[in-house]
């Protein structure tokens, strides 16, 4: 892919390569990219190997997602970027994604579905990396083939968790007249 991205207020041209590598039912989606500024310099903040922690963070950041199977399988999970996530029949959560700000913000969410015959379990967490916004779960019981009854619970832990807050004053930049001053907000 080719395109542009804004990082820390600066515009970069981005070249990306996003292969999916299957290993049986396990599929790993990678995201390799170079961000190049208007002077032709590569943004090195995305490729740091100064110590073990920065190297591990750099490598983890290049994994877009890991998944096992498909949502219709008896056991399925997807960890990383989530796309088109439904909880149960979609009454509480339908078509959810945690990748609206991607690639500027890379979230690590979880979509898990497991079928134990007559009992089913589903879990959703929008982000483990920063602060989760959406969390949810569902327990279901199969009454007859094709008919089940369930209990779902979802919670938006912090409705502002998906919005950026540069100064860390817990007041999102979108609403903050002073987004770079942690002592002032309005």
């Amino acid at each position: 892919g080719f395109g542009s991205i804004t990082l820390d207020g600066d515009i970069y041209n981005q070249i990306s390569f996003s292969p999916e590598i299957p290993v049986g039912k396990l599929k790993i989606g990678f995201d390799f990219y170079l961000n190049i500024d208007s002077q032709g310099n590569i943004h090195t903040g995305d490729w740091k190997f100064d110590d073990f922690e920065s190297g591990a963070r750099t490598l983890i950041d290049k994994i877009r997602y890991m998944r096992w199977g498909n949502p219709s399988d008896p056991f399925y999970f997807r960890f990383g970027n989530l796309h088109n996530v439904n909880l149960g029949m979609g009454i509480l959560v339908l078509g959810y994604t945690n990748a609206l700000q991607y690639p500027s913000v890379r979230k690590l969410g979880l979509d898990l579905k497991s079928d134990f015959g007559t009992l089913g379990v589903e879990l959703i967490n929008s982000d483990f990396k920063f602060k989760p916004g959406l969390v949810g779960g569902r327990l279901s019981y199969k009454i007859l083939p094709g008919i089940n009854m369930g209990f779902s619970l979802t919670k938006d832990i912090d409705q502002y968790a998906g919005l950026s807050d540069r100064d860390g004053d817990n007041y999102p930049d979108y609403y903050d007249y002073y987004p770079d001053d942690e002592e002032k907000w309005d």
Side-chain angles (χ1 to χ4, degrees), residues 74-89:
F75 179 75
Y76 164 79
F77 81 85
R78 181 172 172 133
F79 181 75
N81 279 135
L82 305 178
H83 296 284
N84 200 25
V85 174
N86 300 324
L87 186 65
M89 303 299 150

Side-chain angles (χ1 to χ4, degrees), residues 37-121:
D37 67 12
S38 61
Q39 307 300 319
N41 300 315
I42 295 175
H43 184 262
T44 57
D46 302 324
W47 299 89
K48 288 188 178 181
F49 295 97
D50 300 334
D51 54 27
F52 178 78
E53 185 178 336
S54 65
R57 189 177 304 263
T58 296
L59 293 176
I60 287 171
D61 213 26
K62 303 309 177 251
I63 298 174
R64 188 167 184 180
Y65 64 86
M66 292 188 318
R67 74 179 181 134
W68 181 271
N70 295 306
S72 60
D73 289 347
F75 179 75
Y76 164 79
F77 81 85
R78 181 172 172 133
F79 181 75
N81 279 135
L82 305 178
H83 296 284
N84 200 25
V85 174
N86 300 324
L87 186 65
M89 303 299 150
I91 293 172
L92 296 177
V93 178
L94 178 65
Y96 174 77
T97 181
N98 69 350
L100 288 177
Q101 295 174 312
Y102 180 86
S104 298
V105 178
R106 298 167 188 276
K107 295 184 178 181
L108 296 175
L110 175 70
D111 179 20
L112 179 112
K113 295 176 178 19
S114 187
D115 184 358
F116 300 104
T118 58
L119 185 64
V121 176

Side-chain angles (χ1 to χ4, degrees), residues 15 49 55 58 67 73 84 88 99 110 122 124 128 145 157 164 182 185:
I15 301 169
F49 295 97
T58 296
R67 74 179 181 134
D73 289 347
N84 200 25
L110 175 70
E122 298 177 44
I124 297 173
F128 288 99
I157 293 176
S164 63
E182 65 184 52
W185 61 88

